[in-house]
Amino acid sequence: MAGIYIHIPFCKQACHYCDFHFSTNLSYKSAMVQAIMTEAALQKGFLKEHKIKTIYFGGGTPSLLSSQELELILNTLAKNFDLSQVGEITLEANPDDLSREKLTELKQLGINRLSIGIQSFHEPFLQMMNRAHTAQEALQVVDHARAAGFDKLSIDLIYAIPHADHTIWQKDLAIAMSIDPGHISSYCLTVEPGTALGRWQTSGKFEASSDDFAADQFELLLATMDKHGYEQYEISNFAKEGHHSQHNSAYWQYIPYLGLGPGAHSFDGEQRQHNISHNPKYIKSLQADLIPATIDHLSPSDQLNEYILTSLRTKWGTSLEKIANTWQITLDLNKIHNFIQDQFLSLEHNTLKLTPKGRLLADQIAMELFVEDMV
Amino acid sequence: MDKIRNFCIIAHIDHGKSTLADRLLEFTQTVTERQMQNQLLDNMDLERERGITIKSHAIQMNYKYKGETYVLNLIDTPGHVDFSYEVSRSIAACEGALLIVDASQGIEAQTISNLYLALGHDLEIIPVLNKIDLPGAMPEDVADQVVDLLGCDRDEIIHASGKEGIGIEDILNAIVERVPAPKGDPDGPLRAMIFDSVFNSFRGIEVIFRIFNGSIKKGDRIKFMNTGKEYDADEIGVLRLSQDPQQEMSAGNVGYLISGIKVAKEVKVGDTITHVHRPTEKAIQGFENVKPMVFAGIYPVDTTEFEELRASMEKLQLNDASLVWEPETSAALGFGFRCGFLGMLHMEIVQERLEREFDMTVITTVPSVQFHAVKTNGDITKINAPSDMPEPNTISHIEEPFIKAQIITAAEYVGPIISLCMDKRGLMKNQVYLTTDRVELTFEMPLAEIVFDFFDKLKTISRGYASLDYELIGFRRSTMVKLDVMLNGEKVDALSAIVHRDKAYEWGKRLCEKLKELIPRQMFEIAIQASIGTKIIARETVKALRKNVLAKCYGGDISRKRKLLEKQKKGKKRMRQVGNVEIPQEAFMAVLKLD
């Protein structure tokens, strides 16, 4: 089992919170598509015998590509990889790019899942974050997508945006529920260095919400999701029956993936590699048939810690059996015992899972369970 | 011998002693321009940065005056109250002293106390107004102060500027003319005083001495009278820019001795050197074993580095004989050492030297003074650490060390300084106007009260212009109590302190508040409590950590996030665990930052 990720590093404008790799200079677009196609051909052996099940266009803003450009990429993939078992092709999209016409074209390309960057239905928040769409567009887009035949829809929502109280978040959640998407990804507003918010925080123009405020909103989110029949299958991801993101689930279950495009990451089970996060350099390198990647070899303890970090976030949990079999090691049983006693973790069928209380502290708990260098 | 002049320099910090000393060395061509490093005498990095001479040294100059060549031995003295005994020994090695006063600042407390020491040893005082080139200089006013103080004539005062090289020749001439030549019989029994020592990792301890009587030859069998140890004088010599070995040195001169001594403890400042075969009858007076005034625990941050810390402390002690220590165990901090220091500055220096020279990261616990617990039968138990404190029902009372503090300040700050001293349980003993604007205040105060932040506060409220000197005047009965800190019900021994009962509540409250700031939120709530015996007197709560999870964790985030968490985990290893609570190092120093 494996997946292919394609990073489309362009945006119309920079969202004030985003630290992913993108450029607002769209003049490289067609050269970029060519370069990604070249990389796909060069990397056709990367996933070895693993069967490819998912394709994911992420960004940046993949919906900025024309249908023709997307088609070129998909055709190249088909030429170089066995896509016969692919069941999920996702495209991240912004509401302002999704005209009815575009939606129909995307559907015709075989894209069967849309992840729509709505973020909020509150106009002042959208403006504060420098999103390109309006609240009105956000409301309409899901209807239009359904009309075009998309039944697998995910929307992104951001919480813990500074505000005096939780009313706007509650309203956002209520609207989201009325739209009834099959999948919701919801992220805490995080201030990253190098973003506009990061600079404003340094200069005192912006102040992030307190952890307590964010935790309260996270709990509101969990309660709403639970009430409306969504399963929290990962810290930030919620799905109704049959709507889980297969592609993203692979990241948390130690399944290999190939990343194409500048800044994209790949993983083959033992090493991770990532491409240079610079559009012209990426293009130039691929024009010479060279993949500008940095390889990060993972030591056994790196691998194990990454397994703990990611698997613990999911409903499937961390398998102690898998750890014993793969890395021949047992985790700190004392710590595990204490976490179970304090109701941060549960242990069933030799698998550790976070309790609802533990989910707010997932990173802390993962860190405590990390192993040090293994010989 | 009549061509030798031994002198030291008495000056307040920043009054320009080092620069002036540099000029004397340049003028006498003891150093060439090329060899000249600024502030030559302060050769430890730390000293250079702090701008104070910590360890005293000596240097010899030749100076031609009226056709005759004179040997001038400049004996450097430390400029901080922590090192007052070393100062007194350096002064005892001289016949004269340059009294350097900053013409823009006036006389300070430290200067006065050292001046009294010098006068007590009958030193000839040559007053020098330094920095007369500064626009803010008030040579007339400051000269008045000097005249008042010394009872000298105005024309005896030399005007100088170390920076501009003004008055240097006048100073050298005055040293030759006014400082008496040393006395003593070169043929009598050897009597030399150790006034300093320097650690040399290749040659052992170099002893710096002044000969008062007799002569010493290379190879002589010698004895240190107070320690009773005997050695061979493998090498003797005078101190120029580098060591200048000699076959023989005699009464009046100053020099160094190398005799393979490995441990600084054997070399006690103030001790008398004599010959084994023809000893002097009387040792030089004034020898004291240096007593530590401030005690604190020093622990390795990484508990596995205890042995390494011990080795470092041993090496440190090789050239810092005033540092004393013994092993100590703390439930919170593990294995470490209870150390005695001459004062707070000395403590800071030791900590910094451990970090810089030995690459050790250490935790220093709450500094304390030595208390006496007087038992019902009158026996005295010395208390160097809160854990030494006996149960209250087993003792009659506690005594604490008191000092006499002399503070010199501009008149406008007298009010705030008096309130500060009163707040520190001080008793005002005297108030004297040295001039219309400068006041000397004398207080009797508990030493414990000046250990922490008194000096900083004094500087702050006087805008840096008040100076302080103090001396121990004995132990007095006080109502001291042991204040403990508990985290989630577990006592943290390293945070205990002995405080005056009247101050215990305030102390406990502020300490709990400070700890609340310093202890990070953890996965459970943490109760911080201060108690006297079983009585809780203050409480704060660190709320449980509610959220530590990053929202996004996709393909590109995983390794970055793992590295971040691994780094955090490493950082946590530097914390100390008491019960289930993790305590960062800074928390153990919290008491020092209670304001």
Side-chain angles (χ1 to χ4, degrees):
Chain A
M1 202 175 147
I4 296 177
Y5 173 84
I6 304 106
H7 190 79
I8 306 301
F10 298 110
C11 287
K12 268 186 212 165
Q13 58 196 55
C15 300
H16 287 159
Y17 54 84
C18 182
D19 73 336
F20 285 137
H21 169 62
F22 65 90
S23 165
T24 50
N25 177 356
L26 304 188
S27 61
Y28 296 107
K29 217 165 69 155
S30 58
M32 180 61 71
V33 169
Q34 284 304 321
I36 288 172
M37 288 160 61
T38 309
E39 191 191 2
L42 290 170
Q43 287 286 49
K44 67 180 182 184
F46 185 85
L47 293 170
K48 300 187 188 109
E49 73 285 3
H50 295 289
K51 289 280 169 260
I52 296 157
K53 305 266 186 163
T54 59
I55 294 172
Y56 193 105
F57 288 92
T61 316
S63 54
L64 278 182
L65 292 192
S66 67
S67 305
Q68 291 72 30
E69 287 165 329
L70 287 167
E71 189 175 11
L72 279 171
I73 294 174
L74 282 168
N75 287 344
T76 308
L77 293 182
K79 220 183 286 169
N80 292 287
F81 298 91
D82 173 10
L83 301 184
S84 62
Q85 296 198 32
V86 169
E88 181 186 285
I89 304 178
T90 305
L91 181 93
E92 286 181 353
N94 277 346
D96 44 309
D97 293 328
L98 295 180
S99 63
R100 284 167 182 270
E101 193 187 1
K102 179 81 173 259
L103 283 162
T104 312
E105 289 168 9
L106 293 175
K107 184 71 184 147
Q108 279 165 0
L109 286 174
I111 289 165
N112 58 11
R113 185 172 180 274
L114 291 178
S115 169
I116 307 172
I118 287 177
Q119 318 306 358
S120 174
F121 298 101
H122 185 60
E123 198 67 49
F125 280 2
L126 292 172
Q127 284 166 19
M128 187 275 281
M129 297 188 290
N130 201 35
R131 295 291 298 172
H133 65 270
T134 62
Q136 189 56 36
E137 283 171 319
L139 280 168
Q140 283 172 356
V141 71
V142 175
D143 280 348
H144 293 167
R146 284 202 177 109
F150 284 98
D151 55 352
K152 290 200 170 168
L153 291 172
S154 176
I155 65 169
D156 286 356
L157 293 176
I158 293 180
Y159 63 90
I161 298 169
H163 194 66
D165 54 32
H166 300 315
T167 49
I168 303 208
W169 178 230
Q170 283 163 326
K171 223 161 120 191
D172 270 357
L173 284 172
I175 296 170
M177 292 303 94
S178 71
I179 293 172
D180 190 28
H183 188 279
I184 292 178
S185 298
S186 188
Y187 308 115
C188 182
L189 181 68
T190 313
V191 180
E192 303 286 355
T195 63
L197 288 189
R199 287 190 296 277
W200 294 344
Q201 177 147 296
T202 313
S203 67
K205 266 172 74 185
F206 175 83
E207 195 183 342
S209 302
S210 70
D211 278 358
D212 284 325
F213 183 85
D216 286 341
Q217 296 213 337
F218 186 62
E219 282 174 351
L220 277 171
L221 169 70
L222 298 193
T224 308
M225 293 296 106
D226 193 50
K227 190 173 154 200
H228 291 82
Y230 289 84
E231 182 187 44
Q232 185 185 18
Y233 70 104
E234 195 261 356
I235 296 289
S236 306
N237 286 281
F238 305 84
K240 288 197 164 170
E241 184 71 45
H243 283 265
H244 300 79
S245 163
Q246 287 178 47
H247 182 86
N248 285 340
S249 298
Y251 291 135
W252 309 312
Q253 292 180 309
Y254 225 68
I255 292 166
Y257 51 89
L258 168 64
L260 303 172
H265 288 242
S266 304
F267 173 60
D268 69 358
E270 282 184 0
Q271 58 191 34
R272 295 188 187 276
Q273 63 180 61
H274 61 273
N275 289 338
I276 191 165
S277 297
H278 189 280
N279 290 358
K281 284 183 187 164
Y282 172 82
I283 292 167
K284 205 168 170 202
S285 175
L286 279 150
Q287 280 165 351
D289 282 344
L290 288 171
I291 301 168
T294 308
I295 293 173
D296 196 3
H297 187 80
L298 300 179
S299 72
S301 63
D302 294 343
Q303 292 172 24
L304 172 53
N305 289 344
E306 291 189 0
Y307 171 69
I308 295 170
L309 173 66
T310 51
S311 62
L312 202 58
R313 296 171 68 91
T314 67
K315 68 163 182 168
W316 303 285
T318 303
S319 162
L320 296 180
E321 195 182 316
K322 180 184 168 81
I323 291 175
N325 290 340
T326 314
W327 291 284
Q328 284 83 42
I329 199 172
T330 42
L331 302 183
D332 186 338
L333 293 177
N334 247 333
K335 272 196 177 144
I336 290 175
H337 177 80
N338 290 339
F339 282 142
I340 293 171
Q341 198 139 50
D342 295 338
Q343 295 177 343
F344 291 113
L345 284 179
S346 71
L347 180 64
E348 274 174 68
H349 307 300
N350 218 2
T351 299
L352 290 175
K353 291 180 187 173
L354 292 170
T355 62
K357 180 178 152 194
R359 273 170 220 160
L360 277 161
L361 296 168
D363 287 355
Q364 185 79 21
I365 295 167
M367 171 176 75
E368 296 283 354
L369 296 179
F370 273 8
V371 298
E372 312 235 345
D373 289 337
M374 299 190 292
V375 186
Chain B
M1 195 163 43
D2 60 344
K3 298 287 184 293
I4 295 177
R5 298 290 183 271
N6 297 319
F7 70 103
C8 60
I9 301 178
I10 296 169
H12 190 71
I13 297 165
D14 294 339
H15 281 199
K17 178 176 77 170
S18 298
T19 315
L20 203 66
D22 287 353
R23 293 293 163 268
L24 298 180
L25 299 180
E26 274 178 350
F27 196 89
T28 56
Q29 294 175 338
T30 310
V31 290
T32 63
E33 195 90 14
R34 194 170 57 80
Q35 294 164 322
M36 197 66 202
Q37 254 181 308
N38 274 331
Q39 302 192 2
L40 191 76
L41 290 179
D42 299 347
N43 64 7
M44 275 202 280
D45 277 359
L46 213 59
E47 293 175 38
R48 202 177 292 273
E49 276 169 40
R50 285 173 181 264
I52 30 172
T53 316
I54 300 165
K55 297 287 292 177
S56 42
H57 296 264
I59 193 160
Q60 193 172 83
M61 300 168 248
N62 291 338
Y63 182 59
K64 262 213 173 103
Y65 177 71
K66 293 187 178 163
E68 300 268 12
T69 300
Y70 288 82
V71 171
L72 310 185
N73 289 309
L74 165 57
I75 291 167
D76 200 22
T77 55
H80 191 273
V81 62
D82 280 6
F83 305 100
S84 53
Y85 175 69
E86 293 190 20
V87 177
S88 81
R89 293 302 86 197
S90 296
I91 283 172
C94 303
E95 280 81 24
L98 299 178
L99 171 68
I100 297 181
V101 183
D102 185 326
S104 64
Q105 306 266 338
I107 293 170
E108 307 285 357
Q110 185 74 62
T111 321
I112 292 188
S113 66
N114 287 345
L115 177 66
Y116 288 156
L117 263 177
L119 291 169
H121 283 88
D122 288 331
L123 263 55
E124 177 65 34
I125 309 294
I126 301 171
V128 177
L129 290 193
N130 194 24
K131 305 195 188 180
I132 52 147
D133 57 307
L134 287 188
M138 316 166 287
E140 295 309 311
D141 292 6
V142 179
D144 285 343
Q145 292 177 19
V146 173
V147 170
D148 278 358
L149 201 63
L150 293 178
C152 61
D153 288 338
R154 286 185 85 88
D155 58 14
E156 289 176 40
I157 302 172
I158 298 171
H159 288 222
S161 162
K163 203 167 136 239
E164 298 297 325
I166 302 168
I168 304 304
E169 192 172 2
D170 296 341
I171 293 173
L172 289 164
N173 292 346
I175 291 168
V176 174
E177 287 168 5
R178 299 195 217 164
V179 174
K183 297 188 187 78
D185 175 7
D187 300 319
L190 175 64
R191 193 153 55 92
M193 181 185 72
I194 299 172
F195 63 87
D196 197 4
S197 65
V198 183
F199 175 73
N200 180 317
S201 49
F202 299 106
R203 311 183 71 188
I205 313 289
E206 300 164 6
V207 175
I208 317 291
F209 63 88
R210 151 78 198 266
I211 307 172
F212 284 93
N213 210 51
S215 299
I216 181 169
K217 284 199 207 57
K218 183 181 157 126
D220 280 355
R221 189 74 188 154
I222 50 162
K223 184 167 124 177
F224 291 179
M225 293 180 76
N226 281 289
T227 63
K229 299 225 175 198
E230 295 181 10
Y231 309 94
D232 292 321
D234 297 336
E235 181 178 323
I236 55 170
V238 296
L239 291 153
R240 316 254 335 157
L241 188 63
S242 53
Q243 292 169 344
D244 184 1
Q246 307 284 318
Q247 288 302 316
E248 180 174 3
M249 292 173 66
S250 52
N253 216 342
V254 169
Y256 71 94
L257 159 77
I258 293 173
S259 52
I261 305 171
K262 297 279 184 291
V263 185
K265 270 188 281 192
E266 291 178 27
V267 182
K268 295 194 188 277
V269 167
D271 203 347
T272 305
I273 307 172
T274 192
H275 279 125
V276 170
H277 295 297
R278 191 192 165 202
T280 175
E281 282 171 19
K282 248 174 60 186
I284 291 155
Q285 288 192 335
F287 172 76
E288 282 173 34
N289 268 311
V290 183
K291 284 190 210 71
M293 302 274 259
V294 175
F295 296 82
I298 288 189
Y299 290 82
V301 164
D302 183 343
T303 48
T304 61
E305 288 180 349
F306 172 70
E307 285 304 329
E308 221 171 302
L309 178 60
R310 178 199 291 275
S312 306
M313 302 269 292
E314 276 166 358
K315 276 189 205 146
L316 200 66
Q317 215 178 25
L318 292 180
N319 67 347
D320 185 350
S322 43
L323 170 67
V324 296
W325 47 270
E326 58 185 32
E328 176 185 66
T329 318
S330 149
L333 298 173
F335 293 106
F337 301 95
R338 171 91 348 203
C339 305
F341 307 98
L342 298 178
M344 286 299 281
L345 179 74
H346 186 213
M347 174 172 131
E348 280 172 41
I349 289 166
V350 167
Q351 191 177 351
E352 278 191 48
R353 288 190 63 196
L354 281 171
E355 297 194 348
R356 285 191 200 197
E357 295 170 31
F358 300 96
D359 205 20
M360 297 293 310
T361 324
V362 295
I363 297 174
T364 314
T365 63
V366 189
S368 174
V369 300
Q370 185 179 66
F371 295 95
H372 287 172
V374 183
K375 290 193 183 149
T376 36
N377 66 2
D379 283 357
I380 286 174
T381 309
K382 289 177 179 171
I383 305 170
N384 289 339
S387 57
D388 298 342
M389 186 87 158
E391 289 301 317
N393 54 358
T394 65
I395 53 172
S396 151
H397 62 272
I398 301 282
E399 290 180 345
E400 67 172 327
F402 264 68
I403 54 159
K404 186 170 94 180
Q406 276 169 303
I407 297 165
I408 294 181
T409 178
E412 55 183 309
Y413 304 117
V414 164
I417 289 173
I418 291 177
S419 340
L420 172 68
C421 293
M422 296 301 213
D423 185 47
K424 298 286 184 186
R425 298 191 281 134
L427 303 164
M428 188 148 102
K429 286 293 169 188
N430 203 0
Q431 177 175 3
V432 182
Y433 277 77
L434 300 174
T435 65
T436 49
D437 188 41
R438 292 185 75 73
V439 183
E440 184 189 47
L441 299 166
T442 308
F443 280 87
E444 291 180 2
M445 294 171 76
L447 177 63
E449 293 287 344
I450 68 157
V451 160
F452 292 115
D453 51 2
F454 179 76
F455 197 57
D456 288 342
K457 281 198 173 142
L458 184 66
K459 285 276 170 196
T460 310
I461 59 176
S462 66
R463 293 170 198 269
Y465 287 122
S467 60
L468 164 76
D469 186 56
Y470 64 81
E471 58 178 326
L472 202 58
I473 50 171
F475 281 75
R476 292 182 187 175
R477 188 172 176 148
S478 278
T479 44
M480 307 306 289
V481 293
K482 183 177 166 217
L483 188 130
D484 293 314
V485 173
M486 290 184 289
L487 297 178
N488 279 354
E490 297 241 12
K491 208 182 267 185
V492 185
D493 56 2
L495 286 172
S496 295
I498 297 170
V499 293
H500 193 266
R501 179 173 287 282
D502 295 350
K503 296 199 154 190
Y505 283 82
E506 183 62 20
W507 178 287
K509 187 170 149 260
R510 277 157 59 201
L511 184 53
C512 286
E513 285 165 2
K514 193 76 200 173
L515 287 171
K516 185 185 175 180
E517 273 172 43
L518 293 172
I519 297 176
R521 289 170 76 170
Q522 295 172 30
M523 293 179 73
F524 38 79
E525 190 173 285
I526 301 164
I528 305 170
Q529 292 168 306
S531 70
I532 300 171
T534 53
K535 191 178 174 200
I536 306 291
I537 58 165
R539 180 191 162 119
E540 290 286 339
T541 305
V542 179
K543 285 200 286 178
L545 179 67
R546 270 194 74 196
K547 179 177 167 294
N548 180 11
V549 54
L550 273 179
K552 288 191 185 184
C553 191
Y554 298 108
D557 309 313
I558 298 170
S559 282
R560 191 172 46 143
K561 197 162 156 185
R562 167 184 49 85
K563 285 176 193 164
L564 196 79
L565 291 177
E566 283 174 346
K567 202 170 143 196
Q568 277 179 28
K569 189 174 172 118
K570 268 210 184 100
K572 269 163 65 84
K573 275 176 88 176
R574 291 170 66 97
M575 298 218 242
R576 288 311 165 87
Q577 189 128 11
V578 172
N580 54 0
V581 182
E582 281 167 337
I583 313 171
Q585 301 169 45
E586 310 88 75
F588 295 101
M589 294 296 278
V591 206
L592 291 178
K593 303 174 190 117
L594 282 185
D595 273 341

